[in-house]
Amino acid sequence: NAGVMQNPRHLVRRRGQEARLRCSPMKGHSHVYWYRQLPEEGLKFMVYLQKENIIDESGMPKERFSAEFPKEGPSILRIQQVVRGDSAAYFCASSPPGTGGDGELFFGEGSRLTVL
Amino acid sequence: GNSVTQMEGPVTLSEEAFLTINCTYTATGYPSLFWYVQYPGEGLQLLLKATKADDKGSNKGFEATYRKETTSFHLEKGSVQVSDSAVYFCAFHSGSARQLTFGSGTQLTVLP
């Protein structure tokens, strides 16, 4: 049973370019979360999605960032016109349906974005 | 607001030493509490959890007890190994939101 799959593992972009990060949740999981880890810091919540719905995007920057989780295919975190401050590790996590009380998340290995 | 305060690192210990990493939280209600571990170059893995007051989570020799009166969930291990070298994150889930709130992480290095 494959875990949470993220790609690419490493991505280098120049300022002004777009970055797209993909996440396939564990089999049977319908909830996806994106977290950002800046250098030397902990993880900060960005967005929580279910299939075709954004449930909580309270941690998403207001501009340039967007996320989706379509009916078919992986979840996508999109960063437009990247700046150096976007350099970070972006972690995706998933959880099965109906686990509202426990809160255990299953994390991918992360996508490390470097903006030159 | 909701937050987790975690002992700052880095922490360096010799093999077989005793480990304590302090964690306290500020949250409404009675959250579920977690310790996650991140090995170099990898994602986070759940180490242990506790879902109600006085519960003790344990795994791989690590333990943490949910202390409601002190809002704490300190991580302990009696005898650390070199392979325990990693970053440890304390986190909680309040139940009213699906997201986890994480501490800033504690880097542990165990020397042979």
Side-chain angles (χ1 to χ4, degrees):
Chain A
N1 189 16
V4 177
M5 304 300 292
Q6 288 189 248
N7 67 82
R9 292 290 308 278
H10 301 275
L11 182 63
V12 178
R13 285 288 178 265
R14 296 190 180 281
R15 282 179 296 171
Q17 292 183 320
E18 178 179 287
R20 285 193 181 219
L21 309 177
R22 289 175 290 278
C23 170
S24 295
M26 284 183 70
K27 186 176 181 180
H29 287 193
S30 57
H31 303 273
V32 166
Y33 312 77
W34 285 94
Y35 284 79
R36 177 165 63 176
Q37 184 179 32
L38 294 170
E40 308 299 325
E41 294 187 15
L43 278 75
K44 304 294 185 186
F45 169 78
M46 299 181 75
V47 63
Y48 158 45
L49 311 105
Q50 295 179 21
K51 284 285 188 182
E52 300 184 281
N53 283 303
I54 296 174
I55 306 303
D56 181 355
E57 56 182 348
S58 58
M60 287 278 273
K62 299 299 181 190
E63 298 178 345
R64 302 187 297 107
F65 285 72
S66 62
E68 62 176 8
F69 188 16
K71 186 176 180 180
E72 301 291 338
S75 175
I76 306 288
L77 179 66
R78 181 184 180 203
I79 311 172
Q80 296 177 289
Q81 300 173 346
V82 296
V83 300
R84 289 213 174 110
D86 297 333
S87 296
Y90 292 84
F91 288 96
C92 174
S94 71
S95 65
T99 55
D102 184 297
E104 179 181 350
L105 301 184
F106 297 81
F107 283 83
E109 295 185 335
S111 292
R112 283 158 178 81
L113 172 66
T114 301
V115 179
L116 302 177
Chain B
N2 295 340
S3 66
V4 177
T5 301
Q6 194 174 331
M7 183 171 105
E8 289 189 19
V11 174
T12 302
L13 296 172
S14 297
E15 204 164 25
E16 299 184 1
F18 183 84
L19 169 71
T20 300
I21 301 178
N22 291 337
C23 171
T24 58
Y25 64 91
T26 301
T28 55
Y30 302 101
S32 296
L33 304 175
F34 303 85
W35 278 99
Y36 280 82
V37 58
Q38 184 180 28
Y39 298 102
E42 298 183 13
L44 276 73
Q45 304 172 24
L46 178 67
L47 180 60
L48 53 83
K49 66 181 180 183
T51 57
K52 61 182 188 294
D54 299 324
D55 269 2
K56 177 184 285 187
S58 61
N59 185 27
K60 300 181 181 179
F62 290 89
E63 293 183 339
T65 301
Y66 190 139
R67 302 286 187 200
K68 188 180 71 172
E69 63 278 11
T70 55
T71 62
S72 65
F73 194 53
H74 304 320
L75 182 68
E76 296 182 336
K77 187 173 184 180
S79 177
V80 293
Q81 306 300 312
V82 173
S83 57
D84 294 327
S85 298
V87 181
Y88 292 82
F89 292 95
C90 186
F92 75 82
H93 178 273
S94 67
S96 59
R98 291 295 296 242
Q99 56 175 286
L100 284 173
T101 299
F102 283 89
S104 57
T106 301
Q107 171 77 56
L108 170 66
T109 301
V110 180
L111 302 175

